[in-house]
Amino acid sequence: MSLDQFSIIESTLREGEQFANAFFTSDQKVEIAQLLDAFGVEYLELTSPAASPQSLADCTRIAQLGLRSKILTHVRCHLDDARLAVDTGVDGIDVVFGTSSYLRQFSHGKDIPYIIDSAIEVIEYIKSQGLEARFSSEDSFRSDLVDLLTIYRAVDKIGVNRVGIADTVGVADPRRVYELVRTLRGVVGCDIEFHGHNDTGCAIANAYCALEAGATHVDTSVLGIGERNGITPLGGLIARMYAYNPDAIRNKYHLPLLREVENYLANLVSVDVPFNNYITGYTAFTHKAGIHAKAILNNPSTYEILDPGDFGLTRYIHVAHRLTGWNAIKERAEQLQLNLNDDEIKRITAQIKALADQKNLSLDDVDVLLRSYHSQRVEEELREAVAAD
């Protein structure tokens, strides 16, 4: 089942280069490749060596690093591009050809027989060089189904390793993705790769449904960066798959490295990691409402499907607000090593709520109140002790 056995094709060094703010130096590309390799992704996809002289040099350099991840590059369905890619030393070549009526009419102007002939020629060459070959239709969800299946059957027949389905403009929804992949799964015996753009917010759900239907590979990028709104984010896919099978994801990937990878990329492309980012956003494991906080303190699984500890992170109970509960305040008092009983904590909680109705509180405000109350009680106990003597 693909939900239990799938591979990530990490495309930050290809799709990610198409992000508006992206400009990676050669050394930065190497750093990205090494970080993603250490995280454990199965594949790294690089910009076509035909794109520019520097792209050629970078592809060759990364292919020679000796990483555990397989190195792929992504090229047009053209023999010259394929030959150039082979010479870089990559492990595999991802070939793409636009198949929708939009692309056939307004981009390359080729018909389906031409696409099939070109695909067969290029794939047979790549396979003859001992490399993995993938053929992907571009704009798959606006392509004619009969055309797609005809092309995929032809390339599967000659031994392509994978066929790719690309939601190039982000038009697909999970049901459509499931149906197309399921149909394709009944037609080809090779692996199936899904590439989904996030223009309408469905990239993660679409990737998950592709795996449910029988896909074997999913393209991702760090923080989802890419053309326009980008593609399936690496962290988002990890979160979704962790929710399905946490043990498998813990064993498969070095999860605590995710935050470093995302922060590094965010800095390179001059963006902030979103506050609500999957796993690493600063509010991802923040709990505020009183009833949530109480349950979390008793058992984190009540309101957390992801364990922050698995990602090298910690949860945070937000207590300085009008929604706070006394259990959360008690936990904060214990963190400060202040010995207060439940009745005292409840009185302090009422004070915090009253103050929070008047102004925005900080954690320091709460701590001052707790320490002040504790000091007053200690002083009273001392006076009582002196009076008793």
Side-chain angles (χ1 to χ4, degrees):
M1 187 177 183
S2 298
L3 285 174
D4 295 304
Q5 294 183 338
F6 68 94
S7 295
I8 291 175
I9 297 178
E10 226 303 317
S11 190
T12 298
L13 292 172
R14 197 278 296 178
E15 178 72 47
E17 274 212 288
Q18 296 172 215
F19 178 60
N21 290 358
F23 174 79
F24 305 138
T25 67
S26 184
D27 288 345
Q28 288 168 345
K29 289 181 182 180
V30 168
E31 180 70 15
I32 293 168
Q34 291 173 332
L35 282 170
L36 289 168
D37 179 64
F39 181 79
V41 298
E42 291 81 4
Y43 295 84
L44 295 171
E45 185 183 57
L46 312 182
T47 295
S48 170
S52 73
Q54 190 60 54
S55 296
L56 172 60
D58 293 340
C59 194
T60 302
R61 181 181 180 187
I62 293 173
Q64 294 173 352
L65 290 177
L67 302 178
R68 290 170 297 178
S69 304
K70 289 186 177 181
I71 307 302
L72 309 173
T73 190
H74 182 276
V75 304
R76 297 169 297 183
C77 191
H78 194 288
L79 208 51
D80 289 343
D81 284 14
R83 290 194 181 102
L84 190 62
V86 167
D87 290 342
T88 65
V90 295
D91 299 299
I93 301 174
D94 293 343
V95 178
V96 64
F97 215 133
T99 52
S100 71
S101 59
Y102 293 93
L103 296 181
R104 285 163 51 199
Q105 180 178 355
F106 300 108
S107 179
H108 55 72
K110 308 301 182 184
D111 60 18
I112 297 302
Y114 180 93
I115 293 173
I116 292 173
D117 290 344
S118 299
I120 290 172
E121 178 184 37
V122 173
I123 291 165
E124 286 183 335
Y125 169 71
I126 295 169
K127 296 290 290 183
S128 74
Q129 302 302 303
L131 304 185
E132 283 191 25
R134 181 219 71 187
F135 177 86
S136 178
S137 59
E138 187 181 15
D139 204 10
S140 309
F141 289 88
R142 294 193 299 174
S143 299
D144 180 82
L145 179 60
V146 173
D147 290 343
L148 288 180
L149 298 182
T150 301
I151 297 168
Y152 290 139
R153 281 194 185 98
V155 296
D156 185 49
K157 187 176 181 180
I158 62 169
V160 75
N161 295 89
R162 294 187 312 283
V163 291
I165 292 175
D167 184 17
T168 306
V169 298
V171 69
D173 59 62
R175 182 175 295 174
R176 288 182 65 191
V177 172
Y178 185 92
E179 290 173 351
L180 180 54
V181 175
R182 196 68 173 170
T183 299
L184 181 57
R185 182 77 281 165
V187 170
V188 301
C190 62
D191 288 340
I192 299 173
E193 176 182 340
F194 177 75
H195 179 91
H197 278 259
N198 202 36
D199 299 73
T200 60
C202 290
I204 297 171
N206 286 346
Y208 184 81
C209 284
L211 293 176
E212 271 193 315
T216 53
H217 296 65
V218 171
D219 295 0
T220 68
S221 69
V222 177
L223 296 175
I225 63 171
E227 191 81 14
R228 305 182 315 280
N229 283 354
I231 63 171
T232 307
L234 173 63
L237 181 69
I238 291 295
R240 179 60 257 167
M241 301 314 297
Y242 180 105
Y244 170 75
N245 189 341
D247 288 338
I249 298 302
R250 288 189 199 103
N251 294 331
K252 199 173 186 183
Y253 302 109
H254 183 42
L255 301 180
L257 195 56
L258 180 63
R259 187 178 189 181
E260 180 180 347
V261 173
E262 292 188 342
N263 285 341
Y264 181 68
L265 260 296
N267 182 62
L268 288 186
V269 299
S270 302
V271 300
D272 294 325
V273 175
F275 74 91
N276 61 343
N277 195 51
Y278 321 95
I279 302 167
T280 62
Y282 82 87
T283 63
F285 298 105
T286 296
H287 303 275
K288 184 173 179 179
I291 57 172
H292 284 225
K294 177 183 178 181
I296 282 289
L297 292 170
N298 289 330
N299 184 340
S301 295
T302 52
Y303 286 103
E304 286 178 352
I305 197 62
L306 311 175
D307 183 348
D310 285 339
F311 301 91
L313 303 170
T314 57
R315 69 183 53 85
Y316 174 65
I317 307 297
H318 185 21
V319 300
H321 54 86
R322 62 165 66 102
L323 304 180
T324 196
W326 73 271
N327 288 280
I329 300 301
K330 181 179 181 180
E331 173 73 8
R332 182 58 183 167
E334 290 173 353
Q335 290 172 354
L336 296 173
Q337 298 182 331
L338 303 178
N339 185 23
L340 297 166
N341 62 42
D342 288 354
D343 286 339
E344 291 169 328
I345 291 291
K346 290 176 181 177
R347 287 196 292 272
I348 295 169
T349 302
Q351 287 182 264
I352 293 169
K353 286 175 172 287
L355 287 172
D357 273 341
Q358 300 172 29
K359 66 174 185 176
N360 189 26
L361 298 183
S362 68
L363 184 59
D364 285 343
D365 293 326
V366 172
D367 290 351
V368 166
L369 195 57
L370 285 167
R371 288 192 173 101
S372 175
Y373 204 100
H374 182 262
S375 296
Q376 290 174 15
R377 202 189 74 174
V378 169
E379 289 175 3
E380 289 174 2
E381 290 173 349
L382 285 173
R383 284 197 297 270
E384 290 173 359
V386 169
D389 289 340

